[in-house]
Amino acid sequence: MGDSSVWDTPLKYLKGLGPRRAELLTELGLEKYQDLLEYFPRKYLDYAQITPISQARPDHEAVFRGKLGRFQVRALPGRSKALLVSSLYDGHAWMELVWYQGWEWIRQKFQTGQEVLAIGRPILRKNTLQIAHPDLISLTEGKLPETFLKVYPVYPLSEKLKQAQLDNKRLRMLFEELYRLTGFEMEDPIPESVRQQYDLMPLSEALRGIHLPTSVEEAERARYRFKFQEFFMLQVLLIRRKYFLKSHYAAPALTQVGPLVNLFYEKYLPFPLTEAQKRVIKEVRQDMKLSTPMNRLIQGDVGSGKTIVALFAALIAIGNGYQVALMAPTEVLAEQHARSFGRWLSPLGVSMGLLLGSTPPSQKKKILDRLYTGELACVIGTHTLFQKNVQYHRLGLTIIDEQHKFGVKQRAALWEKAHPYRPHNLLLTATPIPRTLALAVYGDVDVSIIDEMPPGRQPVRTLIRTEVHRREIWNLLRAELQKGRQAYIIYPLVEESEKLDLKAVEEGYHLVCQAFPEYKVGMIHGKMSSERKEREMQLFKLAQTQILVGTTVVEVGVDVPNATVLIVEHADRFGLSQLHQLRGRVGRGSHASYAIFIVPSEISDSAMARLQALAQYRDGFRIAEIDLKLRGPGDFLGTKQSGLPEFKIADIVEDQAVLRAARQAAQDLVQQDPSLQLYPVLRTYLTEYARKHSLELFTA
Ligand code: ADP
Ligand code: MG
């Protein structure tokens, strides 16, 4: 019964494995009996589903049945080791079987003429079907041995493991041995009430079902349980974190909508709000009424109008007598916000200051003093806002634009400025993350989505072109410049070869200067000092340069409505979401705009199809979904920054329904028993889980 000492036994003691193979497993991070349990099969083959060799499809793993042909040992030139070759004949067709290494035991165990099942992935080599290192199972009088399972789990095995005879068959033997030793008895971290409500197999049954299934259906049910478990553990962790943040910190309850909101809404609203904006403002308002800190992320495509939503939050806070700090990742962005906010706030008589790294000291001091006395209701700035010398009088709301550009610590430093309580937090991002992924990643943040564009936007015409079309592209660009418009030309920046890429940008810059001598061209890239970058951006904003050549530094929410052409060189090297973000740099005014993605002429069909999605869709969420499917969550988010553990069995894209169920279960459980007093097994499991994935664990 749940004897933990058995599970802690090093794998090398497991009968049938041996020290050498145990060593190989250690390289995969599998050390103890317990670790092997979570080495899940990637699929199952049903022995009853035998594929005739004549119908074998290259690269499709299948079960074949036939008689073994003659065994031949072949020495190949250039290979130190001879290989073993045989064949399988099913009465109609034949295929070749080959072993490159460690085949001595095959010769000992199998004879020519013997009837076997051969399992593996055939490939086509010199017009012959061939399976390398097939799993062979002997049949006696045409039957499987009685003790054999009818379903064959297929594990993710490398060539290296297979050559050490650590194949699917051996793994099954190991699991049989493990089962004999332990009965897979283990304490179940998922509480029984949850299992019952969501119809989940108990742990030991599920372990049997996933490794030693008697039917494919059983295996599927077992897999469901483990997918659920993976999502559930992460969700319990995130939801508890949210719970403890909310219960440990108090925020000012801003119960009044306040006089400013109504005044602004009735007299100064510059345009009717979209339905999406209204909905999100309501969600924010509801949060701010409470004495628990709001922690809300607003996601909205570039140009969807997040700024004015932030303004309404600010008006609520200021109207209730609190200060607001709005933080942006760059000076250009902060200045842009200051312009919008200044325009909106001044008729209301609300005081506002702009605090930048480049602000002269005397002016800085004035702003700091006024912040401290509370004379200043709103401050906009960059990382300046959370520096040590900044003291607020009554900070009630922080707004962080492009929140992913700031680190966890930087955001926390700003929030701590409201000591002893916490301000309400509003986070803004234009990087759309598909809803389910957002749930998984931001389990501790509430998410609002602005899924509607303000009316009257001209859609950006998206063109995908190769180098052959350079003349056409330059002509289009020239025509726009002649109309007085401006353009961005973007080059990729890949970290590993920063120097090369920098060269590409610089060369591109010179080419553009030569091609367009009558216009002023600016350049911007990550190797420049931030002052230099800011200056280049400023020149472009003021239309003193007409073309800006650069890297994705331009990506962040800069608003130059006069820019109508975006050209992206080597567009195939960008993620779809990133290209969509870049496209958002144009189409911000009333003029027709163009996004031109340039790709190499030898681009593959699949890469082309991927880019076509951009021409087809304008909705950032739609594009993000496609991007996520194509690249997986790790690449999509950049696993490191996301803080998302890798899932062993669950798939965020495919298993969205499971994620939703697991999240609901986690929510109910945490609500009922936040410190998990009633669930010591789960509690212990979570501690270990958090340690393993380096996630922060909150305890009461
Ligand atoms: P983003 O979500 O990318 O930060 P902004 O808040 O900068 O978008 O808004 C983009 C532009 O759209 C701004 O010029 C803004 O004034 C304008 N805008 C925002 N909401 C509306 C609306 N409801 N109707 C018309 N224009 C709007
Ligand atoms: Mg913005």
Side-chain angles (χ1 to χ4, degrees):
M1 249 320 289
D3 185 353
S4 66
S5 62
V6 177
W7 292 113
D8 288 335
T9 315
L11 274 172
K12 64 180 173 199
Y13 297 115
L14 188 60
K15 206 174 115 200
L17 184 62
R20 193 168 56 92
R21 284 185 286 257
E23 192 58 41
L24 286 174
L25 288 181
T26 309
E27 286 173 26
L28 297 176
L30 310 175
E31 290 171 12
K32 306 168 184 173
Y33 282 9
Q34 186 177 347
D35 301 332
L36 197 57
L37 295 178
E38 288 191 11
Y39 192 57
F40 295 127
R42 58 183 171 81
K43 68 171 195 174
Y44 299 86
L45 294 174
D46 189 339
Y47 284 141
Q49 305 272 343
I50 289 174
T51 305
I53 295 175
S54 61
Q55 288 171 29
R57 286 161 64 200
D59 293 324
H60 279 78
E61 200 152 28
V63 183
F64 302 96
R65 174 181 173 157
K67 290 195 167 140
L68 289 173
R70 243 167 26 92
F71 283 95
Q72 286 175 291
V73 176
R74 274 190 214 155
L76 282 189
R79 271 189 81 97
S80 59
K81 219 168 170 320
L83 47 89
L84 179 70
V85 183
S86 182
S87 61
L88 187 75
Y89 180 68
D90 67 359
H92 299 280
W94 67 280
M95 64 179 16
E96 202 169 67
L97 306 179
V98 51
W99 292 265
Y100 293 98
Q101 236 157 1
W103 43 256
E104 287 75 11
W105 64 283
I106 297 276
R107 286 198 81 187
Q108 285 163 22
K109 262 190 84 179
F110 295 96
Q111 277 87 46
T112 302
Q114 187 178 345
E115 192 172 20
V116 294
L117 293 183
I119 299 153
R121 189 193 305 269
I123 55 165
L124 207 50
R125 181 163 283 179
K126 290 185 192 149
N127 263 335
T128 305
L129 270 180
Q130 179 191 81
I131 302 183
H133 292 264
D135 278 336
L136 293 186
I137 294 163
S138 4
L139 301 175
T140 348
E141 290 167 15
K143 289 209 190 81
L144 283 170
E146 295 258 317
T147 53
F148 257 78
L149 298 154
K150 315 240 166 353
V151 181
Y152 186 80
V154 181
Y155 289 87
L157 292 168
S158 64
E159 261 327 290
K160 199 167 158 193
L161 291 180
K162 282 193 190 165
Q163 286 176 7
Q165 293 168 43
L166 194 55
D167 52 13
N168 290 312
K169 202 167 51 164
R170 183 178 306 268
L171 270 165
R172 195 181 36 238
M173 277 158 45
L174 295 175
F175 280 111
E176 275 167 357
E177 172 65 8
L178 210 51
Y179 181 65
R180 201 185 57 72
L181 284 172
T182 64
F184 289 153
E185 288 291 339
M186 204 179 200
E187 287 189 299
D188 195 334
I190 301 185
E192 200 189 330
S193 54
V194 174
R195 283 198 322 261
Q196 277 182 357
Q197 191 180 346
Y198 292 89
D199 193 22
L200 304 172
M201 275 184 175
L203 180 58
S204 41
E205 206 179 299
L207 283 169
R208 207 182 152 155
I210 202 161
H211 292 297
L212 305 169
T214 54
S215 69
V216 173
E217 294 70 44
E218 188 189 1
E220 284 310 323
R221 276 202 68 206
R223 291 180 74 78
Y224 184 89
R225 136 118 209 175
F226 287 110
K227 287 176 178 180
F228 188 100
Q229 178 169 336
E230 271 194 322
F231 286 139
F232 180 73
M233 293 305 162
L234 180 63
Q235 289 302 319
V236 172
L237 201 94
L238 291 172
I239 292 167
R240 285 183 81 211
R241 186 187 296 175
K242 175 171 166 179
Y243 177 87
F244 284 113
L245 285 180
K246 292 220 179 215
S247 61
H248 276 208
Y249 299 104
L254 308 176
T255 48
Q256 308 302 313
V257 65
L260 297 174
V261 171
N262 292 329
L263 182 59
F264 181 76
Y265 196 87
E266 274 149 33
K267 279 190 78 177
Y268 301 106
L269 194 67
F271 36 67
L273 298 174
T274 63
E275 288 308 312
Q277 285 170 324
K278 284 186 205 163
R279 191 190 66 237
V280 174
I281 291 171
K282 266 194 202 125
E283 287 166 354
V284 170
R285 155 95 180 110
Q286 290 308 322
D287 285 357
M288 292 175 73
K289 269 186 194 169
L290 306 177
S291 59
T292 52
M294 166 170 77
N295 202 20
R296 186 169 285 278
L297 174 72
I298 299 183
Q299 288 194 53
D301 230 336
V302 271
S304 62
K306 295 182 288 295
T307 319
I308 197 148
V309 173
L311 175 85
F312 272 94
L315 293 180
I316 294 173
I318 299 167
N320 279 271
Y322 284 86
Q323 289 173 303
V324 175
L326 192 169
M327 184 161 80
T330 64
E331 299 209 340
V332 173
L333 268 187
E335 280 172 350
Q336 196 173 288
H337 281 309
R339 226 164 297 132
S340 308
F341 266 58
R343 199 166 57 233
W344 293 329
L345 290 178
S346 70
L348 303 174
V350 174
S351 54
M352 189 199 84
L354 179 62
L355 191 65
L356 303 174
S358 60
T359 306
S362 58
Q363 211 174 319
K364 221 181 240 174
K365 183 167 180 312
K366 233 184 260 165
I367 292 175
L368 290 178
D369 288 346
R370 294 175 68 210
L371 264 183
Y372 180 67
T373 58
E375 205 182 314
L376 213 51
C378 177
V379 66
I380 295 178
T382 53
H383 56 280
T384 46
L385 297 185
F386 57 81
Q387 303 303 323
K388 274 218 176 63
N389 58 347
V390 187
Q391 282 181 294
Y392 296 84
H393 178 63
R394 257 153 68 99
L395 181 60
L397 171 70
T398 59
I399 302 166
I400 304 184
D401 194 17
E402 304 296 337
Q403 58 96 19
H404 56 283
K405 301 272 169 181
F406 293 96
V408 177
K409 288 222 173 82
Q410 298 179 312
R411 282 181 266 160
L414 182 60
W415 297 336
E416 277 156 19
K417 292 285 183 193
H419 195 77
Y421 58 90
R422 280 288 174 117
H424 294 286
N425 308 312
L426 194 60
L427 307 165
L428 310 180
T429 182
T431 308
I433 294 180
R435 180 118 214 163
T436 38
L437 186 55
L439 285 185
V441 188
Y442 300 122
D444 55 351
V445 178
D446 297 302
V447 180
S448 290
I449 297 178
I450 305 185
D451 50 5
E452 184 186 354
M453 282 289 180
R457 286 285 153 80
Q458 289 245 21
V460 178
R461 274 201 64 193
T462 302
L463 310 171
I464 300 165
R465 294 288 183 267
T466 61
E467 202 50 51
V468 191
H469 304 100
R470 182 63 67 181
R471 275 264 297 272
E472 176 204 334
I473 298 163
W474 274 177
N475 286 341
L476 191 155
L477 174 56
R478 183 163 288 117
E480 285 296 302
L481 293 170
Q482 277 165 2
K483 282 191 246 167
R485 304 283 101 78
Q486 291 165 276
Y488 299 100
I489 302 180
I490 310 292
Y491 283 81
L493 187 61
V494 188
E495 268 162 43
E496 305 95 70
S497 56
E498 229 170 76
K499 276 208 188 104
L500 258 181
D501 289 318
L502 203 54
K503 210 172 128 218
V505 175
E506 280 165 353
E507 278 173 13
Y509 171 75
H510 291 301
L511 278 178
V512 174
C513 288
Q514 275 164 21
F516 298 92
E518 65 275 40
Y519 294 103
K520 291 221 178 64
V521 186
M523 176 165 64
I524 185 167
H525 56 71
K527 279 280 128 104
M528 289 175 169
S529 67
S530 37
E531 293 84 58
R532 181 78 200 285
K533 274 187 280 193
E534 301 280 354
R535 213 179 57 228
E536 288 290 345
M537 276 315 309
Q538 215 45 286
L539 286 174
F540 189 69
K541 273 195 96 153
L542 299 172
Q544 305 207 351
T545 50
Q546 284 79 49
I547 306 175
L548 186 60
V549 177
T551 58
T552 49
V553 192
V554 182
E555 190 181 342
V556 184
V558 181
D559 196 16
V560 183
N562 192 45
T564 56
V565 181
L566 169 85
I567 297 175
V568 181
E569 305 281 348
H570 300 288
D572 52 310
R573 291 218 243 147
F574 293 82
L576 284 191
S577 287
Q578 203 179 11
L579 288 174
H580 178 67
Q581 289 265 311
L582 284 168
R583 179 166 58 181
R585 295 302 110 235
V586 294
R588 301 178 77 90
S590 50
H591 313 292
S593 298
Y594 303 87
I596 305 164
F597 298 132
I598 303 180
V599 297
S601 28
E602 69 274 17
I603 188 171
S604 71
D605 288 350
S606 62
M608 194 64 186
R610 194 174 76 98
L611 288 170
Q612 292 291 0
L614 280 173
Q616 197 177 347
Y617 301 114
R618 275 188 281 151
D619 172 0
F621 282 93
R622 188 70 183 267
I623 289 163
E625 291 274 359
I626 297 170
D627 204 18
L628 174 63
K629 276 201 183 116
L630 289 169
R631 294 196 295 159
D635 282 342
F636 180 85
L637 292 165
T639 305
K640 272 192 207 113
Q641 76 156 44
S642 75
L644 191 70
E646 265 189 57
F647 294 112
K648 285 203 179 103
I649 186 167
D651 180 323
I652 280 186
V653 179
E654 300 294 323
D655 301 320
Q656 304 199 355
V658 192
L659 172 56
R660 272 192 291 272
R663 183 175 169 81
Q664 186 61 53
Q667 227 148 21
D668 294 343
L669 190 89
V670 174
Q671 192 164 38
Q672 175 215 356
D673 180 14
S675 52
L676 305 179
Q677 297 287 350
L678 301 172
Y679 307 105
V681 185
L682 173 59
R683 220 185 134 101
T684 313
Y685 186 95
L686 275 179
T687 311
E688 179 59 18
Y689 174 88
R691 193 193 57 77
K692 229 159 78 190
H693 297 287
S694 315
L695 295 168
E696 211 175 331
L697 181 78
F698 276 78
T699 40

